[in-house]
Amino acid sequence: MASALELESEGHDLPSYEIFWRDHYEYLKDRGYTLRRRYEPGWTPSWVYGNKDLVECEDSCVPNHWVVLDATRDDGTYVALKRVDLIRATQEIEIAKLLSSPEFAEDPKNHCVPILDIIEVDGSNIAFIVMPLLFFTTAYNFYTVATSATGWSSRSASRTSKPVNHYILDFDLSIIYQDEIVRLKQPPWGGDRTVPEHLIPNAPPCDPFLVDVYCIGNIVRESFVEGSKDRKPKQGFGFMRGLISDMTNKDPTQRPTMDEVMDRFEKLVEGLDEWTLRSPVVDSDGRLSIIGALYHWAKQLIYVVRGLPAIPRATRPQL
């Protein structure tokens, strides 16, 4: 994506992936959602005539992804808008509505992002899903072993004494399968380029549910258990090694189902003692400073005295 500095050298024009949002500025505003000033028709960069440096100007910020953009609802709530291609993502709207319906929204096992609104564009194959404005899971470091493990299992956990919700989102590749339909899909798909059954030459259709098991296991493997070229493994996650190894088995028929994964995971966590759960998340070759360790354990002792569990539960917010 173009940086703000690149835009300045190009005469302040928006790049092509942002022009779509500018063209829908008034349409979205009429429906209660205002985009940042950058996308207002006739926008002039504030750093051109003001006294601020470019990096200090809110309208110099570019989106992380061309299909998602932040906005402000009429009541002042910050939200995220996702552009949905109704031809490509044929079931995304249907699935979003289903998972946010009263029946599913009240289910404590539902960790899918709540859908606040759906905006259809008349005479177009485009729609917008309105969601809460969220941070990436990797935006902040997990504080303890308990919050790391339960956060990646899509449970609601906490990095401090205040519970934090973790959400699953983005259902543009999702499909609703009926029980009597064979669950096979032609690869490749998704963002994980290491799925073994996708790497087979002339790969045949495969079970997307077992691919999901692999992908989730691979995220945990690269983030905590074994690390990757960009991340170091973390201390204290050896208890998950066997489960993650099974989830990422090269033979998909040897992987556990997601129900089996959750059953095994819950038993593993139940077998951990209180102090292991409250241990800090540290790189495999690192350690806390003396002051850092004293601060961490003093805080954990305060939580124990206050009766706060190592794995607090967050409730689904009413938005």
Side-chain angles (χ1 to χ4, degrees):
M1 289 187 176
S3 68
L5 290 174
E6 290 171 332
L7 294 181
E8 185 176 31
S9 66
E10 293 173 2
H12 323 306
D13 292 331
L14 291 175
S16 59
Y17 60 84
E18 289 187 280
I19 290 176
F20 169 87
W21 294 101
R22 182 196 64 193
D23 292 346
H24 288 80
Y25 180 93
E26 296 295 347
Y27 188 89
L28 292 167
K29 186 174 183 179
D30 289 344
R31 282 148 185 82
Y33 300 95
T34 302
L35 305 181
R36 285 184 282 116
R37 195 174 71 84
R38 176 183 182 84
Y39 303 100
E40 187 173 358
W43 164 70
T44 299
S46 59
W47 61 87
V48 175
Y49 300 108
N51 296 321
K52 292 184 178 180
D53 291 335
L54 180 146
V55 295
E56 298 178 299
C57 299
E58 176 267 349
D59 59 337
S60 71
C61 297
V62 297
N64 289 318
H65 198 289
W66 66 279
V67 300
V68 180
L69 193 67
D70 58 289
T72 304
R73 197 166 63 184
D74 277 352
D75 63 0
T77 301
Y78 294 115
V79 298
L81 303 179
K82 180 183 180 183
R83 169 186 176 178
V84 178
D85 184 335
L86 299 177
I87 295 178
R88 188 180 70 87
T90 58
Q91 294 193 31
E92 183 167 9
I93 298 293
E94 179 184 359
I95 291 172
K97 289 180 177 179
L98 176 65
L99 295 173
S100 288
S101 65
E103 176 186 0
F104 284 88
E106 299 301 322
D107 189 335
K109 294 182 179 181
N110 180 6
H111 300 286
C112 299
V113 65
I115 303 303
L116 309 180
D117 195 4
I118 293 176
I119 305 170
E120 297 181 355
V121 180
D122 297 337
S124 170
N125 292 318
I126 296 296
F128 297 94
I129 290 178
V130 184
M131 303 171 287
L133 186 62
L134 305 173
F135 288 101
F136 287 107
T137 304
T138 54
Y140 296 99
N141 293 327
F142 285 96
Y143 191 62
T144 65
V145 170
T147 58
S148 300
T150 53
W152 279 112
S153 72
S154 300
R155 293 173 178 274
S156 297
S158 171
R159 296 188 181 94
T160 63
S161 61
K162 185 177 180 180
V164 175
N165 286 293
H166 298 85
Y167 290 119
I168 300 171
L169 69 165
D170 197 2
F171 302 101
D172 58 332
L173 298 178
S174 300
I175 297 173
I176 298 176
Y177 288 91
Q178 304 299 329
D179 292 339
E180 67 275 9
I181 296 179
V182 177
R183 306 183 313 187
L184 295 176
K185 185 175 180 179
Q186 182 65 47
W189 70 84
D192 192 330
R193 307 304 181 190
T194 68
V195 179
E197 48 265 55
H198 290 190
L199 300 177
I200 301 173
N202 300 315
C206 55
D207 188 334
F209 289 79
L210 294 178
V211 171
D212 285 348
V213 170
Y214 173 90
C215 291
I216 293 175
N218 195 40
I219 290 174
V220 178
R221 178 171 64 179
E222 293 186 348
S223 300
F224 298 103
V225 179
E226 297 180 7
S228 65
K229 64 178 182 180
D230 300 319
R231 302 171 183 170
K232 293 182 178 181
K234 309 300 181 184
Q235 298 176 23
F237 292 90
F239 71 96
M240 297 182 69
R241 190 174 298 277
L243 173 59
I244 297 306
S245 178
D246 289 344
M247 293 176 68
T248 55
N249 194 306
K250 291 184 178 180
D251 182 352
T253 65
Q254 299 302 308
R255 294 174 201 153
T257 66
M258 198 62 75
D259 285 339
E260 292 169 341
V261 168
M262 289 307 301
D263 288 342
R264 289 176 59 181
F265 175 79
E266 289 174 354
K267 291 177 181 178
L268 289 172
V269 173
E270 288 172 359
L272 299 178
D273 62 73
E274 179 83 3
W275 298 109
T276 298
L277 290 170
R278 294 185 182 275
S279 296
V281 177
V282 183
D283 288 343
S284 59
D285 59 352
R287 58 183 297 180
L288 292 179
S289 65
I290 294 176
I291 294 177
L294 288 173
Y295 176 81
H296 173 87
W297 288 111
K299 179 179 288 187
Q300 293 305 311
L301 285 171
I302 292 173
Y303 292 164
V304 171
V305 171
R306 292 174 58 188
L308 296 173
I311 309 176
R313 304 297 183 186
T315 57
R316 193 175 180 88
Q318 300 296 319
L319 300 169

